Amino acid sequence: MEVFMRHLIHVNDLSDNEVGQILKNAFAYKRGETPKTLKDKKVITTFFENSTRTLSSFEMAVKNLGGEVIRLDVSRSSTSKGETLRDTAANLNAMRPDAIVIRHSTAGAGYFLIPKVSCPIINGGDGAHSHPTQALLDLMTLLESFQSLEGKRIAIVGDIKNSRVANSNIALLPRFGAELLLVAPPHFLPQTSLPTTSNLQDAIEQCDAIISLRTQTERHDLQTYGSLQDYADDFCLTMERIGDKKLVIMHPGPVHRNIDISDFVLDDPRSKVLEQVQNGVFMRMAVMDFFINHQ
Ligand code: CP
């Protein structure tokens, strides 16, 4: 008998109401409520791409709720002996975990796993496709500053075309009222019906918040600009550019200092970069509780 199981591969796997419930729980955890709702639950983390924030915060989230984490050491796993991703999933699933978190360089990798498992698959970032928990924690961070996103103008700046974070924010934030402006050199812009500009100064004047992105050099087939410094000359968020404008400044990390955002702006109280990281733990607690306990 096939058991219906929900997975989180894309932000559209959640309705607005469900995002609301998850946010409510994430804020409650941030206020200090930590019920052990994952007691006796086991989560396998499988990160085929490097990560600092996402891997650590998923693992901390599970442990905070009383669960246990089994981390697949990908460099020592049998994928290096030719085992397919699907077979890896089937074998991990045979150990009966309560969820599997995956990060992979292939867009849509989570969809390959779904037919082989009987537990939720949670996407920790797949190629340039999707990073749903990053968008959820970004939404949480924005709501701490604005209470509501209705009518708020948010600029996404940088290598948008190659960014799973941008894709997920573009899919999620307008559902909660945000008006997006994409800011990038033409070769970093995706095909889009959203407003675009390559004038960062104009964007700063118009917007309430800025989400800066890292240039995803690992996803560039060809070098499409002279150097990172050429890019920074036009798109780095500096004190000269932001002045005393009231702004919320965010970045998913890892930050290329003085390319994406200057040292001074990172230290400015308007920068919410570390709040995003902190919120990532609470948001991932809420996501893991939702997908493991409320199927
Ligand atoms: N934001 C983010 O995905 O960071 P990591 O690559 O360090 O997980």
Side-chain angles (χ1 to χ4, degrees), residues 115-162:
K116 298 291 179 188
V117 300
S118 51
C119 68
I121 296 293
I122 308 296
N123 180 6
D126 59 339
H129 172 238
S130 173
H131 195 349
T133 56
Q134 179 70 46
L136 289 165
L137 74 89
D138 288 348
L139 174 62
M140 179 179 180
T141 307
L142 287 163
L143 287 173
E144 283 183 317
S145 292
F146 297 127
Q147 286 77 52
S148 160
L149 294 196
E150 213 54 58
K152 294 294 177 207
R153 301 207 74 188
I154 299 170
I156 301 180
V157 179
D159 187 1
I160 299 163
K161 191 162 86 174
N162 293 295

Coordinates of all heavy atoms in Angstrom, one line a residue, residues 115-162:
P115 N 10.6 8.8 -5.0 CA 10.0 7.4 -5.3 C 10.6 6.3 -4.5 O 10.1 5.2 -4.4 CB 10.2 7.2 -6.8 CG 10.6 8.5 -7.3 CD 11.2 9.3 -6.2
K116 N 11.8 6.6 -3.9 CA 12.6 5.5 -3.2 C 12.4 5.5 -1.7 O 13.1 4.8 -1.0 CB 14.1 5.6 -3.6 CG 14.3 5.4 -5.1 CD 14.1 4.0 -5.5 CE 14.3 3.8 -6.9 NZ 13.9 2.4 -7.3
V117 N 11.7 6.5 -1.2 CA 11.7 6.6 0.3 C 10.2 6.6 0.9 O 9.3 6.8 0.2 CB 12.4 7.9 0.7 CG1 13.8 8.0 0.3 CG2 11.6 9.2 0.3
S118 N 10.2 6.3 2.2 CA 8.9 6.4 2.9 C 8.9 7.4 4.0 O 8.2 7.3 5.0 CB 8.5 5.0 3.4 OG 9.6 4.5 4.1
C119 N 9.8 8.4 3.9 CA 9.9 9.5 4.9 C 10.0 10.8 4.1 O 10.3 10.8 2.9 CB 11.1 9.2 5.8 SG 12.7 9.4 4.9
P120 N 9.8 11.9 4.8 CA 9.9 13.2 4.1 C 11.3 13.5 3.6 O 12.3 13.2 4.4 CB 9.5 14.2 5.2 CG 8.9 13.5 6.3 CD 9.4 12.1 6.2
I121 N 11.4 14.0 2.4 CA 12.7 14.5 1.9 C 12.7 16.0 2.0 O 11.7 16.7 1.6 CB 12.9 14.2 0.4 CG1 13.0 12.7 0.2 CG2 14.1 14.9 -0.2 CD1 14.2 12.0 0.8
I122 N 13.7 16.6 2.7 CA 13.7 18.0 2.9 C 14.9 18.6 2.1 O 16.1 18.1 2.3 CB 13.9 18.4 4.4 CG1 12.9 17.7 5.3 CG2 13.9 19.9 4.6 CD1 11.4 18.1 5.0
N123 N 14.7 19.5 1.2 CA 15.7 20.1 0.3 C 16.5 21.1 1.1 O 16.0 22.2 1.4 CB 15.0 20.7 -0.9 CG 16.0 21.2 -1.9 OD1 17.2 21.1 -1.8 ND2 15.4 21.9 -2.9
G124 N 17.8 20.9 1.2 CA 18.7 21.9 1.8 C 19.5 22.7 0.7 O 20.5 23.3 1.0
G125 N 18.9 22.7 -0.5 CA 19.6 23.4 -1.6 C 19.9 22.5 -2.7 O 20.7 21.5 -2.5
D126 N 19.3 22.7 -3.9 CA 19.6 21.8 -5.1 C 20.0 22.6 -6.3 O 19.2 23.3 -6.9 CB 18.4 20.9 -5.4 CG 17.2 21.6 -5.7 OD1 17.0 22.8 -5.3 OD2 16.3 21.0 -6.3
G127 N 21.3 22.6 -6.6 CA 21.8 23.3 -7.8 C 21.3 24.8 -7.7 O 21.3 25.4 -6.7
A128 N 20.9 25.3 -8.9 CA 20.4 26.7 -8.9 C 18.9 26.7 -8.8 O 18.3 27.7 -9.1 CB 20.9 27.3 -10.2
H129 N 18.3 25.5 -8.4 CA 16.8 25.4 -8.4 C 16.1 26.0 -7.2 O 15.3 27.0 -7.4 CB 16.5 23.9 -8.6 CG 15.0 23.6 -8.5 ND1 14.6 22.7 -7.6 CD2 14.0 24.0 -9.2 CE1 13.2 22.6 -7.7 NE2 12.9 23.4 -8.7
S130 N 16.4 25.6 -6.0 CA 15.5 25.9 -4.9 C 16.3 25.7 -3.6 O 17.1 24.8 -3.4 CB 14.4 24.9 -5.0 OG 13.5 24.9 -3.9
H131 N 15.9 26.6 -2.7 CA 16.5 26.5 -1.3 C 15.3 27.0 -0.4 O 15.3 28.1 0.2 CB 17.7 27.4 -1.2 CG 18.6 27.2 0.0 ND1 18.2 26.3 1.1 CD2 19.8 27.6 0.3 CE1 19.2 26.3 2.0 NE2 20.2 27.1 1.5
P132 N 14.3 26.1 -0.2 CA 13.1 26.5 0.5 C 13.2 27.0 1.9 O 12.6 28.0 2.3 CB 12.2 25.3 0.4 CG 13.0 24.1 0.1 CD 14.2 24.7 -0.6
T133 N 14.1 26.4 2.7 CA 14.2 26.8 4.1 C 14.9 28.1 4.2 O 14.7 28.9 5.1 CB 14.9 25.7 5.0 OG1 16.1 25.4 4.5 CG2 14.0 24.5 5.1
Q134 N 15.8 28.5 3.2 CA 16.4 29.8 3.2 C 15.4 30.9 3.0 O 15.4 31.9 3.7 CB 17.5 29.9 2.1 CG 18.2 31.2 2.1 CD 19.1 31.5 3.3 OE1 19.9 30.6 3.7 NE2 19.0 32.7 3.9
A135 N 14.5 30.6 2.0 CA 13.4 31.6 1.8 C 12.5 31.8 3.0 O 12.1 32.9 3.3 CB 12.6 31.3 0.5
L136 N 12.2 30.7 3.6 CA 11.4 30.7 4.8 C 12.0 31.5 5.9 O 11.4 32.3 6.6 CB 11.0 29.3 5.3 CG 10.0 28.6 4.4 CD1 10.0 27.1 4.7 CD2 8.6 29.1 4.5
L137 N 13.4 31.3 6.1 CA 14.0 32.1 7.2 C 14.2 33.5 6.8 O 14.2 34.4 7.6 CB 15.3 31.4 7.6 CG 16.6 31.5 6.7 CD1 17.4 32.7 7.0 CD2 17.4 30.3 6.8
D138 N 14.3 33.8 5.5 CA 14.4 35.2 5.0 C 13.0 35.9 5.3 O 13.0 37.0 5.7 CB 14.7 35.2 3.5 CG 16.2 34.9 3.3 OD1 17.0 34.8 4.2 OD2 16.5 34.6 2.1
L139 N 11.9 35.1 5.0 CA 10.6 35.7 5.3 C 10.5 36.0 6.8 O 10.0 37.1 7.2 CB 9.5 34.7 4.8 CG 8.1 35.0 5.2 CD1 7.7 36.3 4.5 CD2 7.2 33.9 4.7
M140 N 10.9 35.1 7.6 CA 10.9 35.3 9.1 C 11.7 36.6 9.5 O 11.2 37.4 10.3 CB 11.4 34.1 9.8 CG 11.5 34.2 11.3 SD 12.1 32.6 12.0 CE 12.1 33.0 13.8
T141 N 12.9 36.7 8.9 CA 13.7 37.9 9.2 C 13.1 39.2 8.8 O 13.1 40.2 9.5 CB 15.1 37.6 8.6 OG1 15.6 36.4 9.0 CG2 16.1 38.7 9.1
L142 N 12.5 39.2 7.6 CA 11.8 40.4 7.1 C 10.6 40.7 8.0 O 10.4 41.9 8.3 CB 11.4 40.2 5.6 CG 12.5 40.2 4.6 CD1 12.0 39.5 3.3 CD2 13.0 41.6 4.4
L143 N 9.9 39.7 8.4 CA 8.7 40.0 9.2 C 9.0 40.5 10.6 O 8.3 41.2 11.2 CB 7.8 38.7 9.3 CG 7.1 38.3 8.1 CD1 6.4 37.0 8.2 CD2 6.1 39.4 7.7
E144 N 10.2 40.2 11.1 CA 10.7 40.8 12.3 C 10.9 42.3 12.2 O 10.7 43.1 13.2 CB 12.0 40.2 12.8 CG 11.8 38.8 13.4 CD 13.1 38.2 13.9 OE1 14.1 38.3 13.2 OE2 13.1 37.6 15.0
S145 N 11.2 42.7 11.0 CA 11.5 44.2 10.8 C 10.2 44.9 10.4 O 10.0 46.1 10.7 CB 12.5 44.4 9.7 OG 13.8 43.9 10.1
F146 N 9.3 44.2 9.6 CA 8.2 44.9 9.0 C 6.8 44.5 9.5 O 5.8 45.1 9.0 CB 8.2 44.7 7.5 CG 9.5 45.3 6.8 CD1 10.3 44.5 6.0 CD2 9.8 46.6 7.0 CE1 11.4 45.0 5.4 CE2 11.0 47.1 6.4 CZ 11.7 46.3 5.6
Q147 N 6.7 43.5 10.3 CA 5.4 42.9 10.7 C 4.6 42.4 9.5 O 4.1 41.3 9.6 CB 4.6 43.9 11.5 CG 5.1 44.2 13.0 CD 6.3 45.1 13.0 OE1 6.2 46.2 12.4 NE2 7.3 44.7 13.7
S148 N 4.5 43.2 8.5 CA 3.8 42.7 7.3 C 4.6 43.1 6.1 O 5.2 44.2 6.1 CB 2.4 43.3 7.2 OG 1.9 43.2 5.8
L149 N 4.6 42.2 5.0 CA 5.4 42.6 3.8 C 4.5 43.3 2.8 O 4.9 43.6 1.7 CB 5.9 41.3 3.1 CG 7.0 40.6 3.9 CD1 7.7 39.6 3.0 CD2 8.0 41.5 4.6
E150 N 3.2 43.5 3.1 CA 2.3 44.1 2.2 C 2.8 45.5 1.7 O 3.0 46.3 2.5 CB 0.9 44.3 2.9 CG -0.3 44.1 2.0 CD -0.3 42.8 1.2 OE1 -0.3 41.7 1.8 OE2 -0.4 42.9 0.0
G151 N 3.1 45.6 0.4 CA 3.5 46.8 -0.2 C 5.0 47.1 0.1 O 5.5 48.2 -0.4
K152 N 5.7 46.3 0.7 CA 7.2 46.5 1.0 C 7.9 46.2 -0.3 O 7.7 45.2 -1.0 CB 7.7 45.7 2.1 CG 7.1 46.0 3.5 CD 7.5 47.4 3.9 CE 6.9 47.8 5.2 NZ 6.7 49.3 5.4
R153 N 8.9 47.1 -0.6 CA 9.7 46.9 -1.8 C 11.0 46.2 -1.4 O 11.7 46.8 -0.6 CB 9.9 48.2 -2.6 CG 8.6 48.9 -3.0 CD 8.8 49.7 -4.2 NE 9.0 48.9 -5.4 CZ 9.3 49.4 -6.6 NH1 9.6 50.7 -6.7 NH2 9.4 48.6 -7.6
I154 N 11.3 45.1 -2.1 CA 12.5 44.4 -1.7 C 13.3 44.1 -3.0 O 12.8 43.6 -4.0 CB 12.1 43.0 -1.1 CG1 11.4 43.3 0.2 CG2 13.4 42.2 -0.8 CD1 10.7 42.0 0.9
A155 N 14.6 44.6 -2.9 CA 15.5 44.4 -4.1 C 16.3 43.1 -3.8 O 16.8 42.9 -2.7 CB 16.4 45.6 -4.2
I156 N 16.4 42.3 -4.9 CA 17.3 41.2 -4.8 C 18.5 41.5 -5.8 O 18.3 41.8 -6.9 CB 16.6 39.9 -5.3 CG1 15.4 39.6 -4.3 CG2 17.6 38.7 -5.3 CD1 14.7 38.3 -4.7
V157 N 19.7 41.5 -5.2 CA 20.9 42.1 -5.9 C 21.9 41.0 -6.2 O 22.4 40.4 -5.2 CB 21.5 43.2 -5.1 CG1 22.7 43.8 -5.8 CG2 20.5 44.3 -4.8
G158 N 22.3 40.9 -7.4 CA 23.5 40.0 -7.7 C 23.2 39.0 -8.8 O 22.5 39.2 -9.7
D159 N 23.8 37.8 -8.5 CA 23.8 36.7 -9.5 C 22.5 36.0 -9.4 O 22.5 34.8 -9.0 CB 25.0 35.8 -9.2 CG 25.2 34.8 -10.3 OD1 24.4 34.7 -11.3 OD2 26.1 34.0 -10.1
I160 N 21.4 36.6 -9.8 CA 20.1 36.1 -9.6 C 19.8 34.8 -10.4 O 19.2 33.9 -10.0 CB 19.0 37.2 -9.9 CG1 19.3 38.4 -9.0 CG2 17.6 36.7 -9.8 CD1 18.6 39.7 -9.4
K161 N 20.3 34.9 -11.6 CA 20.1 33.7 -12.6 C 20.6 32.4 -12.0 O 20.0 31.4 -12.3 CB 20.8 34.0 -13.9 CG 20.4 33.1 -15.0 CD 20.8 33.7 -16.4 CE 22.2 33.4 -16.7 NZ 22.5 33.8 -18.1
N162 N 21.7 32.4 -11.3 CA 22.3 31.2 -10.8 C 22.0 30.9 -9.4 O 22.6 30.0 -8.8 CB 23.8 31.3 -11.0 CG 24.2 31.3 -12.4 OD1 24.0 30.3 -13.2 ND2 24.8 32.4 -12.9

